[in-house]
């Protein structure tokens, strides 16, 4: 089915409920994150929860990368608080920036995870790069109009995804 190219490997409520320790034991060593509506509401600064998450990931032994289609000032200001690496204007869903992220982290598709909130940019791009994908529900409903329009299409894909998961 054509929609399957957009299906995430895992679909959860939040990036904050992923079993990062368990995934590390399975051999994952790098995590690429989207920022807006994945870690914080759209445009919001890094909050205590996101700062603690990145400290935890470093403690586990992960390399991390922020991958955003946003401009550098937005990505850098978030990153200044969480202390990761970042790529701005990433041109998701094209896989080149995902590959560049893995290169910088020293990981491979088999040892890398991607966490994001959008199917047609985040998940599709990571899948094209061969990375295990975690789709999370958007943190906040306020979004830019082009994202709002994509959400309607995402609902259709997620309907079939969830139907397949049950069968």
């Amino acid at each position: 089915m054509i929609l399957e190219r957009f299906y995430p490997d895992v679909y959860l409520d939040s990036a904050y409920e992923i079993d990062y320790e368990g995934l590390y034991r399975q051999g994952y060593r790098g995590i690429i994150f989207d920022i807006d509506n994945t870690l914080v509401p759209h445009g919001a600064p890094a909050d205590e929860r996101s700062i603690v998450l990145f400290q935890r990931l470093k403690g586990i032994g992960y390399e991390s990368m922020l991958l955003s289609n946003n401009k550098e000032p937005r990505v850098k200001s978030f990153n200044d608080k969480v202390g990761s690496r970042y790529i701005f204007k990433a041109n998701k869903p094209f896989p080149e920036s995902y590959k560049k992220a893995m290169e910088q982290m020293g990981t491979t598709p088999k040892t890398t995870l991607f966490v994001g909130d959008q199917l047609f940019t985040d998940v599709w791009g990571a899948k094209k790069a061969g990375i295990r994908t975690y789709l999370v529900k958007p943190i906040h409903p306020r979004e830019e109009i082009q994202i709002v329009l994509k959400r309607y299409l995402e609902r259709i894909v997620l309907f079939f995804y969830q139907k397949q998961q049950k069968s």
Side-chain angles (χ1 to χ4, degrees):
M1 187 176 184
I2 197 160
L3 296 180
E4 288 177 358
R5 74 180 67 180
F6 303 110
Y7 288 1
D9 294 305
V10 181
Y11 182 37
L12 297 171
D13 287 337
S14 168
Y16 298 97
E17 69 179 48
I18 296 171
D19 178 11
Y20 295 106
E21 290 82 0
L23 290 163
Y24 191 86
R25 286 191 298 274
Q26 291 175 32
Y28 292 96
R29 295 297 180 262
I31 307 174
I32 303 171
F33 287 97
D34 174 57
I35 301 171
D36 288 318
N37 254 341
T38 296
L39 296 168
V40 292
H42 190 83
D47 58 11
E48 187 63 29
R49 187 166 72 154
S50 59
I51 294 166
V52 167
L53 174 64
F54 279 83
Q55 289 170 342
R56 178 177 150 212
L57 295 173
K58 279 185 198 115
I60 296 169
Y62 279 108
E63 294 292 326
S64 66
M65 178 71 69
L66 301 171
L67 193 66
S68 175
N69 283 346
N70 232 311
K71 294 180 178 128
E72 188 170 22
R74 162 66 181 136
V75 182
K76 184 181 182 318
S77 69
F78 185 90
N79 186 62
D80 285 348
K81 297 276 196 302
V82 299
S84 183
R85 294 186 179 106
Y86 65 89
I87 296 173
F88 62 96
K89 287 190 179 175
N91 216 11
K92 295 182 282 183
F94 294 102
E96 289 75 21
S97 56
Y98 296 86
K99 292 173 183 173
K100 183 178 173 186
M102 287 186 283
E103 193 177 292
Q104 289 183 24
M105 292 189 299
T107 61
T108 67
K110 296 278 177 248
T111 62
T112 306
L113 304 167
F114 180 85
V115 182
D117 71 300
Q118 292 187 57
L119 284 176
F120 301 128
T121 49
D122 296 333
V123 169
W124 191 31
K127 286 183 73 102
K128 288 194 286 187
I131 300 169
R132 182 178 169 104
T133 58
Y134 280 73
L135 177 69
V136 296
K137 293 179 181 168
I139 289 176
H140 194 276
R142 185 182 69 81
E143 297 183 296
E144 296 170 348
I145 187 66
Q146 72 271 18
I147 295 172
V148 170
L149 297 173
K150 282 193 272 185
R151 293 288 184 206
Y152 288 108
L153 297 172
E154 283 185 356
R155 282 193 205 118
I156 295 165
V157 175
L158 287 171
F159 170 81
F160 288 104
Y161 167 78
Q162 290 171 320
K163 190 173 169 180
Q164 181 197 56
Q165 295 300 301
K166 290 176 184 157
S167 59

